[in-house]
Amino acid sequence: MSEDCRLREGVELNLPDVEKIALGLKSLAVYSMLAYEHDDDPEDLDGVVQEGLDAIDRLFTC
């Protein structure tokens, strides 16, 4: 994403999407720590990260 991210026209932030974004970013941090320590791929974290990225795409134009 660029530094010029803006809220999409006509979109209002809502708590469920903001929660998904926050959880996705937190999960990405946990995933990256696990990836450095282990070779396994936690599929549950991957899904949460993807939901967060999808919420960002729905809400912002970057």
Side-chain angles (χ1 to χ4, degrees):
M1 291 190 304
S2 74
E3 295 176 16
D4 259 6
C5 289
R6 295 183 187 349
L7 198 58
R8 289 184 183 271
E9 183 106 12
V11 170
E12 292 185 27
L13 290 179
N14 59 63
L15 187 57
D17 280 333
V18 172
E19 288 173 340
K20 284 181 184 177
I21 292 168
L23 186 57
L25 294 174
K26 183 177 179 180
S27 296
L28 184 56
V30 170
Y31 174 81
S32 65
M33 286 189 321
L34 287 172
Y36 289 116
E37 295 176 13
H38 305 291
D39 289 333
D40 26 345
D41 181 14
E43 293 178 27
D44 293 344
L45 287 178
D46 187 46
V48 173
V49 169
Q50 190 57 52
E51 283 183 2
L53 293 173
D54 292 344
I56 291 171
D57 285 339
R58 276 195 308 276
L59 298 172
F60 295 94
T61 300
C62 297

